[in-house]
Amino acid sequence: MESLRVTVKKRTVNERVGATEYCMAQRFALYIWAKKTPDNCSLQDAIFDLASIYRSLSALVRNDNSEALPESIPSAPGTLPHFMEEPDDAYIIKSNPIVLRCKAMPAMQIFFKCNGEWVHQNEHVSEESMDETTGLKVREVFINVTRQQVEDFHGPEDYWCQCVAWSHLGTSKSRKASVRIAYLRKNFEQDPQGKEVPIEGMIVLHCRPPEGVPAAEVEWLKNEEPIDSNLDENIDTRADHNLIIRQARLSDSGNYTCMAANIVAKRRSMSATVVVYVNGGWSSWTEWSNCNARCGRGWQKRSRTCTNPAPLNGGAFCEGMSVQKITCTSLCPVDGNWEVWSEWSVCSPECEHLRVRECIAPAPRNGGKYCEGLSQESENCTEGLCIQDIETASDIALYSGLGAAVIAVAVLVVGVTLYRRSQSEYGVDVIDSSALTGGFQTFNFKTVRQGNSLLLNSSMQPDLTVSRTYSGPICLQDPMDKELMTESSLFNPLSDIKVKVQSSFMVSLGVTERAEYHGKAHSGTFPHGNARGFGTIQARNKAAYIQNLSSISTRNELKTTAIFGHLGGRLVVPNTGVSLLVPHGAIPEESSWEIYLAINPRESSLQPEGPDVLLGPEVTCGPSDVSVSSPFALTIPHCAEVNSEHWNIHLKKRTQQGKWEEVMSVEEETTSCYCLLDPYACHILLNSFGTYALIGEPISECAVRQLKVAVFGCLSCNSLDYNLRVYCMDNTPCAFQEVVLDERLQGGQLLDEPKLLHFKGNTFSLQISVLDIPPFLWRIKPFTACQEVPFSRVWCSNQKPLHCAFSLERYTPATTQLSCKICVRQVKGHEQILQIQTSILENERETIAFFAHDDSNFPAQMGAKAFKIPYSIRQRICATFDTPNAKGKDWQMLAQKNSISRNLSYFATQSSPSAVILDLWEARHQHDGDLDSLACALEEIGRTHSKISDITETEIEEPDFNYSRQNGL
């Protein structure tokens, strides 16, 4: 029986493990069993166990190169080990080892194999338990993997481990678990970039996180708060770590940060600032304003604001003009006038007859006045025979006496009037006005009577046969006139002047009519009522005011101060075109004030809004706590090409709180102040001191801002390089002086006379280029010969000069001459070319002169020296023209002849309109002292008077007047 049992057992074993394996295991088992056999282990069990192990080991040896595990035996399904827990992928953080875990059932043994090699048994930690449900063995094994092990592995793939479990029927293998060293680099591969996007535009912020293992997860922050795309459908953060905002809102503006994190660390990107801006949009046009002219041709305007919407967060200001102007014609009011009386009616029973008239010649229209007087008239038609109201003879005597008295008064008035006309039309004893034209002059005129030859009576017929010549100084009536006449700095004698007096009106004013000038007189200095522009004045005096850079004052001299009294005076900031004229009598008698005049620094506190520009310097005069009794004249240069159809120019004043408020518009009719705009300067009549500035509002694209273009040059530190600096500044003297002062500090030299550029407000940019550089002597870096400046930077410069620099390099130090051209042009606009021909050596360089009014020698003039018109002549002119005259020879004609035709209501409110007009004349002619224009204006008024007088009086013969003028006599 024992033999049978062994045979059956043998067959079973052979079927399970095979004959070869069984024989080898039997021999080994007998040996082991003979030495030491556990009580609970039979020989057959030992043989079975060892045979199974041997077969598995044989299969492992045979397939060691292929890394294949032994196949399980299909004849015994469900008995191979199955894994309850397989090793997972793991990451080593810093230097901390990781633990791989494997759990299988049923399992006799479990071993780890890493990277194709078995892990030593000592490195395994094994736990064994029993499954209570099936009663099978459950084995769990742990191993540690260190950072060093992973770093030392250099295989084609990641470090991996796999566990193998054995049971009685065979082996099973788990999944491969990779082991990697975790890290996260510091720098992002792509940081998000800030953007400026319009409202409702799309925002895309790109973010590529740093390289890391495992791959970093990305989170977005806005202003340090996490963004949850699930709560906002407008935001998407799922597309390849990018942040997408489909339609930008104002609330989307902020700082965005990309956060990357894995199991090792967190990283923050650079913050990206997103600005959602709103471009400005125009509101609707307002209704057209009423025509500004009550009668005749004028203009009306309408406006709109850039508030629909208003620009926000740097959005573009509205393009186009905020104000539109069109011409208009207002119907002039026509006052009514009576038609002729009708025929008398038939005599009525009441002894009266009637006649009527109507107000229809013409009838009043357009707001004109109705006719004054009665439309019906009646009278007795019986020549007094039908008397009903007068009852007594005493009443007849009373009415007769009253009638006689009225007739007598009328005759007396007519007689007095004729007598006054026969004596002198104006009744003012004045001296000859030769003081207007010179101190020591030769006079030749024909007189009519003995005595005071300077007083002529226009009613007396002149004796053409008697002639007297006066040679020598003029006879003046007061010491002030003598002082004026001997002051050579104010009145330079004109040599060999012959004056022939023809008009009694001119002599009565003390102003003579001149026929010929010799010596320094220029042709065309008698405008005869035509407007005299600043350009003409500048051209006449160009040769007299040549100066070079050394005469420009320093920056700390842009302020001048003087003490003035009742006689008044003039303050001038040298070489800036800014001046202040305090008239005679503006300061109370026995008082003296310290008055100052200053130009504020180039960075003005006034920041114009929208397309408005600052046209001149910001000027301060004071003290601000005093007021003058008559208006003073403040002159501020400007850079606008004067045209009311293209510019709307305002005067603004700074309050004590630092804010700017508008005083008036130049085209405005007001009685608070007066502005007279010349081509290059604005003369303002004011009653209070303070800080003032001129602001220009362009109302069309044809508005022109005049720029002065100047080129300076100097050697650089590298002796082979030469620097050219091109400046585009406002065409005002003070702006040019600022540039000259800066260039003096840098050692710059003016290379050509400055040119005038007309820069239009049409949004086109400015181009500055260097042309015609000698190719074998000089060179300039490629792509640097032309520079383009945006329109906004030029137009809104706010008194800061535009500066472009070019660097030229000589090929050899022997080159000392430079010739080239500088082209400054506005795209689709004006162009100026400056020809440069200079030596770069300072000792060989020629000084380029420029033209300006050199008033640095007279920053302050007090009293009579400050005025061109002698005080006595001024008094007589005022006495003559301030008195209303039926023939129109009053201050209004004086204003008209001096090209002052607007806002005459301002002068009407002054105590002496003629004095204010003469103050304005003094301010306009401070540099040339052009008394000729005033004398000619008075001459024309005199001729106008003569023409009017001829209608009612005997024609006064003026022999050979036209002939003398034509022949220079």
Side-chain angles (χ1 to χ4, degrees), residues 89-94 96 98 179-184 212-217 260-267:
D89 295 338
Y91 298 94
I92 297 177
I93 302 174
K94 298 182 180 179
N96 300 322
I98 54 98
V179 180
R180 306 176 68 184
I181 298 175
Y183 66 92
L184 184 63
V213 174
E217 295 182 357
N262 64 4
I263 59 177
V264 179
K266 290 184 178 181
R267 301 283 185 256

Side-chain angles (χ1 to χ4, degrees), residues 344-348 351-355 377-381:
W344 288 103
S345 65
V346 179
C347 192
S348 68
C351 301
E352 289 182 348
H353 58 178
L354 303 176
R355 64 175 181 178
E377 189 177 65
S378 64
E379 67 176 19
N380 190 287
C381 57

Side-chain angles (χ1 to χ4, degrees), residues 356-407:
V356 295
R357 59 180 178 177
E358 294 183 6
C359 188
I360 57 173
R365 61 179 182 270
N366 303 329
K369 296 180 180 179
Y370 194 80
C371 304
E372 295 180 358
L374 299 176
S375 61
Q376 179 176 311
E377 189 177 65
S378 64
E379 67 176 19
N380 190 287
C381 57
T382 61
E383 298 180 356
L385 297 179
C386 182
I387 301 175
Q388 298 178 352
D389 297 330
I390 301 177
E391 298 179 354
T392 63
S394 60
D395 294 333
I396 298 175
L398 175 62
Y399 284 104
S400 300
L402 290 176
V406 171
I407 294 173

